[in-house]
Amino acid sequence: MTAAAATRIDVMRPWLGEEEAAAVAETIASGWVAQGPRVAEFEREFAATVQAGHAVATSSCTTALHLALLVAGIGPGDDVVVPSLSFIATANAVSYVGARVVFADVDAATGNVTAATVAAALTPVTRAVIAVDQGGIPVDLAPIRALCDPRGIVVIEDAACGIGSTYRGRPVGAGAELAAWSFHPRKILTTGEGGMLTTSREDWAERARRLREHAMGASAAERHAALLSPRESYDEIGFNFRMTDVQAAIGLVQLTRLPEIVVRRRALAARYRAALAGVPGLRVAADPPWGQSSFQSLWIEVAPPYPLDREGLLAALAEHGVSARRGIMAAHRQPAYAARDTGSAALAATERLTDRTLILPLFHAMTETEQDRVIAVVREAGGAA
Ligand SMILES: *Cc1c(COP(=O)(O)O)cnc(C)c1O
């Protein structure tokens, strides 16, 4: 093994620098580290970036999805359609509010639900659909809205992976009734942990703000600002889903990096696509006709005549110090959902993608030398050296 080959290449590395460190130091020096002015500023900046009416910061995308379902009035007796091909949090949020998870299949080209796969999963009591921008590839939302809006079905966008992607020329999530975002380090922007709920409706934003903070009548920041703290009241049962000002300070810096991150990720994705295009049996994730992906996860599908299966290629990459990942999971196969009644839609494309795809390393600071090492392993293992 050469010295270069001995260095490990991770699937993802967050891009954090001096600016984030300085922003955290400033926040600490300010004496206010819990949810406060920096969270409010991050919400304003984020809403402007994704062209959303209102943004409510949360502790994670999972808690943002939970709030989205609550403000939309979803609960016991309701069915919510979600793709099985997603991180399990998409389905879990539905379970938290006591509704039934109904799994829909995805389109094999994009890995996303379509109006047709959602239609196949509708029941007489479907009240909401969660559409995911899987791996950053924008979901084709307009036909799904055209199906759901006349039926009074709320469409929630799980945009955990969607920051920096575009749909019909606008940022993913622009104009969404409800969209949920993640700042986990595996995603494109990070605050360590953290999330955001965006919505076009002011009443939903207001209720989400209260629910994330124990449904308290006055926020902690408001109570702190007053010398004589107002008497608080709790009109319903809320949660502690708050983000801290330390996280928001990091997020404000990360937002400024977004355009540069997207340009770099798309260039690296194009390089992967060009280098692997001629390898028989491989298919590389690509932009759909209706938008551009930030490629939060760049997956490839591995099928015959490629000589290895997905597991074999993962092992070959690991042998060369490359930490790739299995493709997106299928929630319907997990013990948490396998024994439940989750509807009867066929999930053929979901099973094919979850069995055959893997996610290649792709991160902002990745060098072309590092990428060439990954490409060489995939090509050589495929007999295309
Ligand atoms: C990562 C992810 C989530 C969960 O995000 P957290 O911020 O970790 O809660 C939800 N949905 C999808 C599609 C994801 O990729």
Side-chain angles (χ1 to χ4, degrees):
M1 239 190 205
T2 66
T7 344
R8 173 190 165 119
I9 301 178
D10 291 307
V11 72
M12 179 63 153
R13 259 182 240 155
W15 186 35
L16 295 157
E18 294 294 321
E19 294 90 336
E20 283 85 349
V24 168
E26 244 176 67
T27 307
I28 290 168
S30 80
W32 188 274
V33 290
Q35 178 183 291
R38 284 172 176 82
V39 167
E41 191 186 345
F42 186 38
E43 290 173 339
R44 285 192 299 274
E45 293 295 324
F46 190 86
T49 300
V50 303
Q51 299 178 20
H54 311 272
V56 180
T58 56
S59 51
S60 70
C61 179
T62 307
T63 54
L65 285 168
H66 189 163
L67 289 180
L69 289 158
L70 287 173
V71 301
I74 310 302
D78 298 337
D79 282 356
V80 179
V81 174
V82 308
S84 168
L85 191 84
S86 186
F87 182 58
I88 200 158
T90 311
N92 283 352
V94 175
S95 301
Y96 300 155
V97 301
R100 183 171 77 121
V101 172
V102 176
F103 288 123
D105 205 7
V106 293
D107 164 37
T110 61
N112 288 332
V113 291
T114 65
T117 69
V118 169
L122 293 183
T123 72
V125 292
T126 303
R127 300 279 180 256
V129 171
I130 304 181
V132 181
D133 302 296
Q134 196 51 261
I137 296 182
V139 59
D140 192 8
L141 215 58
I144 296 172
R145 291 288 297 268
L147 171 75
C148 293
D149 289 357
R151 291 171 171 79
I153 298 169
V154 178
V155 178
I156 298 167
E157 195 167 353
D158 180 344
C161 313
I163 298 168
S165 299
T166 61
Y167 176 59
R168 297 191 173 184
R170 297 176 73 194
V172 150
E177 281 185 288
L178 288 158
W181 311 78
S182 175
F183 307 117
H184 183 273
R186 181 68 186 81
K187 308 298 161 62
I188 287 193
L189 303 182
T190 189
T191 59
E193 294 276 359
M196 194 73 78
L197 175 68
T198 56
T199 174
S200 54
R201 280 182 55 166
E202 184 165 9
D203 56 335
W204 284 355
E206 281 311 306
R207 179 141 180 257
R209 274 182 220 292
R210 283 196 306 277
L211 282 172
R212 80 171 158 188
E213 195 166 13
H214 308 288
M216 204 186 291
S219 74
E222 283 163 0
R223 288 189 300 134
H224 179 82
L227 259 175
L228 177 60
S229 181
R231 196 187 296 273
E232 69 268 27
S233 83
Y234 304 87
D235 298 335
E236 59 181 320
I237 294 170
F239 304 87
N240 179 356
F241 287 167
R242 285 176 299 218
M243 177 183 275
T244 69
D245 260 25
V246 179
Q247 292 167 297
I250 299 171
L252 280 162
V253 178
Q254 287 270 294
L255 262 187
T256 67
R257 299 190 190 275
L258 180 61
E260 203 184 327
I261 289 176
V262 172
V263 167
R264 180 65 182 155
R265 293 187 72 82
R266 286 185 55 79
L268 288 166
R271 228 172 149 262
Y272 267 134
R273 220 170 12 256
L276 301 178
V279 184
L282 292 188
R283 179 170 69 97
V284 184
D287 285 330
W290 49 82
Q292 292 194 336
S293 178
S294 57
F295 295 110
Q296 179 269 338
S297 285
L298 185 83
W299 51 261
I300 60 172
E301 184 177 352
V302 185
Y306 193 84
L308 301 177
D309 63 7
R310 188 265 309 272
E311 297 299 316
L313 180 52
L314 274 174
L317 285 161
E319 219 170 274
H320 289 82
V322 177
S323 181
R325 287 282 184 280
R326 283 181 192 82
I328 309 302
M329 61 175 292
H332 75 279
R333 284 181 172 171
Q334 295 301 315
Y337 288 97
R340 291 187 174 210
D341 173 13
T342 53
S344 52
L347 302 171
T350 298
E351 298 199 332
R352 183 182 122 194
L353 290 178
T354 199
D355 287 340
R356 291 184 172 182
T357 54
L358 67 79
I359 295 166
L360 291 176
L362 181 57
F363 48 90
H364 184 80
M366 187 178 209
T367 63
E368 298 192 348
T369 312
E370 285 176 312
Q371 191 182 29
D372 287 342
R373 264 180 59 202
V374 180
I375 289 166
V377 179
V378 178
R379 286 184 60 89
E380 278 163 34

